[in-house]
Amino acid sequence: QRLRPMSVPEISALAIQVYQTLGGKILRLTAVPTLFCLAAFAFVGKVVLPMLGETSNPTSTSVQIGEAMFGIGLAILVGVPLFLLGVSYITGAVTSLVADYMTGQVPTAENARAEALRIFPKLFILKLREVLVGASALIVSLGFLMLSALLDSSSPDGWGAGGVAVLGIIGIF
């Protein structure tokens, strides 16, 4: 019986058994969705990150902030959805396969595919929420850092900019 309280060695042994039994099916089911995840990383790495390192106007803080916000927005609007498309489908398919195996049913790729597609919208929304909650502090912190750069360029004493920058730095950690 697989669904019972187990010790750590039993859990490890069962996990290895699951991977040995379902590994081929998992790889076949996740090959194409993994390409979505890879495309997201490639897009951010090849398009967005180089964009963040260049500016069209090195003397204007507001232009630099606008360009940075455009790059970050592009990553959020293109990279994140691409990644979540792949991860959401993979989560549904693998969970279905393992659930069938653990409950003593015969795990099939067809059932896993159907279940993954059935729960895909809910998983996508859940994962999007996780990303938004997880990144919210970073987004707010980046906002504070950008605001401090604007204040620094417009304020002669720099105290306001320094205080806002400290808030931004604290928020990152």
Side-chain angles (χ1 to χ4, degrees):
Q1 184 182 22
R2 294 183 182 122
L3 295 178
R4 61 178 173 74
M6 291 186 259
S7 66
V8 172
E10 288 176 310
I11 293 170
S12 298
L14 182 59
I16 291 169
Q17 181 183 354
V18 168
Y19 282 120
Q20 288 174 338
T21 305
L22 300 177
K25 287 180 185 172
I26 290 172
L27 286 174
R28 284 188 295 279
L29 275 172
T30 60
V32 172
T34 300
L35 295 176
F36 284 94
C37 299
L38 179 63
F41 279 111
F43 176 77
V44 170
K46 295 289 185 183
V47 175
V48 175
L49 289 180
M51 184 185 300
L52 293 175
E54 299 174 358
T55 184
S56 62
N57 191 344
T59 60
S60 173
T61 304
S62 59
V63 169
Q64 293 172 18
I65 289 173
E67 291 171 349
M69 288 175 66
F70 177 76
I72 292 167
L74 202 56
I76 290 170
L77 294 175
V78 177
V80 170
L82 264 176
F83 185 77
L84 293 181
L85 283 171
V87 167
S88 298
Y89 180 86
I90 289 169
T91 301
V94 171
T95 301
S96 176
L97 277 176
V98 173
D100 284 348
Y101 181 81
M102 293 299 291
T103 57
Q105 300 173 28
V106 177
T108 64
E110 295 77 28
N111 289 346
R113 232 180 256 114
E115 183 64 15
L117 291 174
R118 184 184 74 75
I119 64 174
F120 178 81
K122 290 180 182 176
L123 281 173
F124 186 86
I125 290 169
L126 172 69
K127 303 241 175 254
L128 181 60
R129 220 185 268 154
E130 289 173 351
V131 167
L132 292 175
V133 169
S136 61
L138 182 62
I139 291 168
V140 170
S141 296
L142 287 174
F144 278 132
L145 290 173
M146 289 179 184
L147 179 62
S148 83
L150 282 175
L151 290 173
D152 188 46
S153 65
S154 65
S155 169
D157 63 4
W159 282 101
V164 173
V166 168
L167 284 175
I169 293 168
I170 289 171
I172 290 174
F173 297 106

